Amino acid sequence: MKPFGTMSGYSRRFSETASLWLMVWLALLLPAPAHADAPAEIIGSRFVYTAGAGDTLARVGARHGLEPAVLAADNGLRADSRLKAGQQLVIDNRHIVPERMIEGIVINLPQRMLFLFKGGVLVHSYPVAVGRHTWPTPTGAFEVTALERHKTWIVPRSIQNEMRREGKPVRESVPPGPDNPLGDYWIGLSLPGYGIHATNAPASIYGFRTHGCIRLHPDDAANLFALVRRGFPVRIVYRRILLTDAGTAGVFLEVHRDIYREGGKAFKMVQQLAADEGLSGRVDWREAERMARREEGIARAVGR
């Protein structure tokens, strides 16, 4: 006879199957994805992800473009929870496209997302890391001026001074290799000293972590590098409140933290944006107020 409390092989398999179906069921309870009649307005999706060895909430969030705390909350976990290989997570990484271009790159800083357009079509979107609140990434219209592989990092004087203040070894340059924070790909911008580049710290993606440059996962940097050219337009914007009419799926809202402290109450900004877009009468304002308060940074349905 088996000791009380142990599970037979059949019971264990039943439990594992039930857990899988529970995760899928939870995913289905989340707001429905945008309808196909608005494919370019909302990117990302809702799906079940199986954690691999070494995965953490921060790593998974960095790769898929969502805050670790939001990922934890969506899965009923604590923010400091450790993941196990094989553990299943519901991921909702939908984002609203902030604006469109015929050809070029749009980077929205609060959103920490990069959007690549060609022929008026959104062809790729990537999570990025941008400037920390004490070293913000500038906004404006720029263009690609350089494309370099395995670039030597010439450390700016300002960063050398920071190294000195923090008691770190002061370096004037870092050659290509695993210690180079630029990774293997550098896309220089017409804003001197700034660029879009790969990284030797992939877990830092989707954070406010840089000295102003835009940092990509190495795989995404390789992909983007092959698709742009010198003269390619780049527009960097700061839009923390995003609202869109997704057709039959209803109205979607995305609210981000005001990391650069540009000001404005989130809920009042949502109300103004809805009025400007003629959507005020279609918004569930209780849900919109909840989202404005939580600032999760994910596109969620707020239609009545």
Side-chain angles (χ1 to χ4, degrees), residues 243 268-281 285:
L243 187 74
K268 289 187 177 296
M269 294 172 71
V270 173
Q271 291 175 310
Q272 185 60 58
L273 187 56
D276 292 345
E277 299 292 330
L279 297 173
S280 298
W285 286 109

Side-chain angles (χ1 to χ4, degrees), residues 11-228:
S11 298
R12 187 176 296 107
R13 287 193 300 272
F14 176 81
S15 176
E16 291 171 352
T17 302
S19 296
L20 172 60
W21 280 109
L22 175 62
M23 297 302 291
V24 174
W25 178 71
L26 285 172
L28 292 174
L29 285 179
L30 291 168
H35 192 267
D37 62 5
E41 301 304 324
I42 299 178
I43 55 93
S45 63
R46 185 189 60 211
F47 58 96
V48 176
Y49 173 83
T50 302
D55 267 345
T56 64
L57 289 170
R59 280 185 182 276
V60 175
R63 193 69 189 103
H64 293 97
L66 73 163
E67 297 273 9
V70 175
L71 177 59
D74 279 351
N75 287 275
L77 302 173
R78 295 199 317 255
D80 61 352
S81 294
R82 293 185 178 182
L83 302 181
K84 298 177 181 178
Q87 183 174 349
Q88 292 176 321
L89 300 169
V90 173
I91 289 183
D92 184 1
N93 66 344
R94 289 171 292 174
H95 294 289
I96 296 170
V97 178
E99 63 179 73
R100 302 178 61 82
M101 297 180 73
I102 299 300
E103 181 175 73
I105 290 170
V106 174
I107 299 165
N108 186 13
L109 299 176
Q111 198 177 30
R112 287 150 289 159
M113 292 293 299
L114 182 154
F115 304 87
L116 174 66
F117 293 90
K118 288 207 165 205
V121 176
L122 176 63
V123 293
H124 286 292
S125 58
Y126 310 107
V128 297
V130 299
R132 62 190 74 165
H133 75 276
T134 56
W135 211 309
T137 301
T139 58
F142 311 103
E143 64 179 40
V144 172
T145 57
L147 294 165
E148 297 182 53
R149 294 283 310 275
H150 310 298
K151 177 181 173 63
T152 293
W153 181 37
I154 305 302
V155 184
R157 186 69 57 85
S158 56
I159 298 180
Q160 291 183 41
N161 291 337
E162 181 186 65
M163 292 172 175
R164 191 173 293 107
R165 288 195 304 270
E166 295 177 353
K168 298 177 180 178
V170 177
R171 306 183 69 175
E172 295 183 356
S173 65
V174 180
D179 294 332
N180 191 318
L182 303 183
D184 292 334
Y185 299 92
W186 168 263
I187 301 172
L189 301 180
S190 53
L191 182 65
Y194 291 85
I196 303 167
H197 62 82
T199 181
N200 59 353
S204 69
I205 300 302
Y206 206 67
F208 299 95
R209 301 285 293 275
T210 79
H211 293 91
C213 284
I214 296 93
R215 189 183 294 176
L216 280 164
H217 185 279
D219 293 344
D220 295 340
N223 185 259
L224 181 65
F225 188 90
L227 294 172
V228 300

Side-chain angles (χ1 to χ4, degrees), residues 238-268:
Y238 190 90
R239 295 188 182 174
R240 50 184 289 246
I241 310 294
L242 301 152
L243 187 74
T244 191
D245 180 357
T248 57
V251 178
F252 277 68
L253 172 66
E254 183 175 343
V255 181
H256 291 266
R257 291 176 289 151
D258 185 14
I259 193 69
Y260 291 170
R261 299 173 185 170
E262 293 207 347
K265 298 290 186 180
F267 186 55
K268 289 187 177 296

